[in-house]
Amino acid sequence: MKELKVGIIGANGYSGAELIRILQQHPEVELSIMASHSTSGQLITEQYPHLQGITETRLEQINIEDIMGKAELFFFSTPSGVSKNLIHRFIEKQIPCIDLSGDHRLKDSLLYDKWYKYSSAPESVLKKSTYGLPELFRQEIKTSTLIANPGCYPTATLLGLAPVLKECLIDTNSIIIDGKSGVTGAGRKASMGTHYCEVNENVKAYKLGSHQHIPEMEQVIQAYSGETATITFTPHLVPMSRGIMCTIYADLMEPLTTEAVLKYYQEFYEDEYFVRIRQEGKWPATKEVFGSNFCDVGVTVDGRTNRIMIVSVIDNVMKGASGQAVQNMNLMNGWDESAGLKISPVYP
């Protein structure tokens, strides 16, 4: 069978490098072009020496007219504020795109302006975008040409909440999310906040009440449950390279046992390859999903407070970005959803 030619715009970032790792061994695709604005002209191995002997591709300049005909599907692994100025030209030509940035996630352009501090993508393009969380929106993804790949914190949070949202078991205005992320979540560009001496042996909160993933999570919670949500979200930076843990709290609408709630989770995710539910009293750890596309979830009910507590972990570069993007590509093309992604976690 003919392989699908795919391209990566922004191949020099961490998510771009992870896409290369996955796509190089994907059975259905040929990685035909890699492009970058800041490092165009360089071999990808100049940015990532670990790819020596795997791919020696030279990074191309992001010139739309030159690169548009070189692939049949494009991943945009660019910082927020970039893809919104480019993707509409691909969509006009009916070329499928998967956007790993936040530029096409929010349906309300005013919300994007407020939380991202940029002007939004054209309204006509936002209307065509599909939120790419396969476990919740699989059928919509299959027929879409523009996928807004979810953020890393929202992926862990929404997969953790989905079963209780579906069953209307919680007060959606009581949701509190304590998120912790490895440093790759901040991208590869150097900054004071991600300097080794700032991160090592340190845990710090950031963007309290102002993180751009807040409206994304509220939008999906409302769309999926039909209930409005005003959440509390506190992200933290922790001294590790990869991984996200979200500990989620919410008030139950009526008293339930942990055993009863776990049954909802087990039934909801029974046929989902990439979501693994822990047994009662067992809690997932970030190391247990490292390098993989899995999301592991543990649940308990505090009978004293009538509150559910959910622990959800992912690898932020995989299920939180590139792995999920490939999962979406598989759905869009009618392939096995796990193609190229049956990668065991790296442990220890």
Side-chain angles (χ1 to χ4, degrees), residues 224-264:
Y224 192 68
S225 70
E227 300 289 335
T228 58
T230 303
I231 66 172
T232 298
F233 173 51
T234 302
H236 303 79
L237 189 66
V238 296
M240 60 186 187
S241 59
R242 290 172 177 247
I244 276 183
M245 174 180 284
C246 285
T247 306
I248 309 156
Y249 309 87
D251 294 337
L252 289 165
M253 300 298 286
E254 60 182 58
L256 290 168
T257 64
T258 298
E259 182 182 10
V261 171
L262 268 173
K263 284 183 179 179
Y264 287 115

Side-chain angles (χ1 to χ4, degrees), residues 16-38:
E18 195 74 333
L19 280 169
I20 295 169
R21 181 172 79 97
I22 301 167
L23 296 172
Q24 283 293 327
Q25 47 85 51
H26 194 289
E28 305 286 354
V29 306
E30 173 194 344
L31 182 50
S32 60
I33 176 174
M34 305 178 200
S36 164
H37 172 68
S38 59

Side-chain angles (χ1 to χ4, degrees), residues 92-220:
E92 288 169 359
K93 301 284 188 180
Q94 295 295 307
I95 299 173
C97 296
I98 300 172
D99 183 15
L100 280 73
S101 81
D103 285 2
H104 296 88
R105 295 175 191 156
L106 298 179
K107 292 296 188 179
D108 185 336
S109 60
L110 295 179
L111 278 179
Y112 179 88
D113 297 350
K114 174 183 176 181
W115 290 87
Y116 282 85
K117 312 302 181 186
Y118 300 111
S119 59
S120 74
E123 291 275 2
S124 58
V125 179
L126 291 177
K127 290 178 181 178
K128 296 177 181 178
S129 70
T130 298
Y131 192 72
L133 190 55
E135 290 77 10
L136 271 61
F137 304 109
R138 181 170 284 110
Q139 297 308 314
E140 294 90 335
I141 292 166
K142 288 180 179 180
T143 58
S144 180
T145 56
L146 173 56
I147 301 298
N149 217 57
C152 46
Y153 283 123
T155 294
T157 297
L158 295 167
L159 291 176
L161 284 169
V164 290
L165 291 175
K166 181 185 178 185
E167 299 295 333
C168 301
L169 298 180
I170 61 170
D171 176 358
T172 54
N173 285 315
S174 72
I175 297 170
I176 298 172
I177 305 144
D178 179 313
K180 297 179 177 66
S181 175
V183 186
T184 50
R188 200 180 192 201
K189 187 177 181 180
S191 70
M192 181 63 72
T194 57
H195 190 286
Y196 176 81
C197 292
E198 300 289 329
V199 175
N200 184 48
E201 299 183 14
N202 193 18
V203 178
K204 54 185 177 182
Y206 64 100
K207 288 189 177 181
L208 276 71
S210 62
H211 198 284
Q212 66 273 17
H213 288 166
I214 291 174
E216 178 181 340
M217 289 187 275
E218 291 179 343
Q219 172 183 272
V220 178

Side-chain angles (χ1 to χ4, degrees), residues 1 5 123 133 143 190 208 290 294 316 318:
M1 292 179 62
K5 291 185 176 182
E123 291 275 2
L133 190 55
T143 58
L208 276 71
F290 191 97
F294 289 111
N316 58 293
M318 280 291 291

Side-chain angles (χ1 to χ4, degrees), residues 306-325:
N306 197 40
R307 188 171 292 134
I308 189 172
M309 295 183 285
I310 307 158
V311 178
S312 179
V313 299
I314 61 171
D315 182 319
N316 58 293
V317 193
M318 280 291 291
K319 184 60 172 169
S322 303
Q324 185 145 260

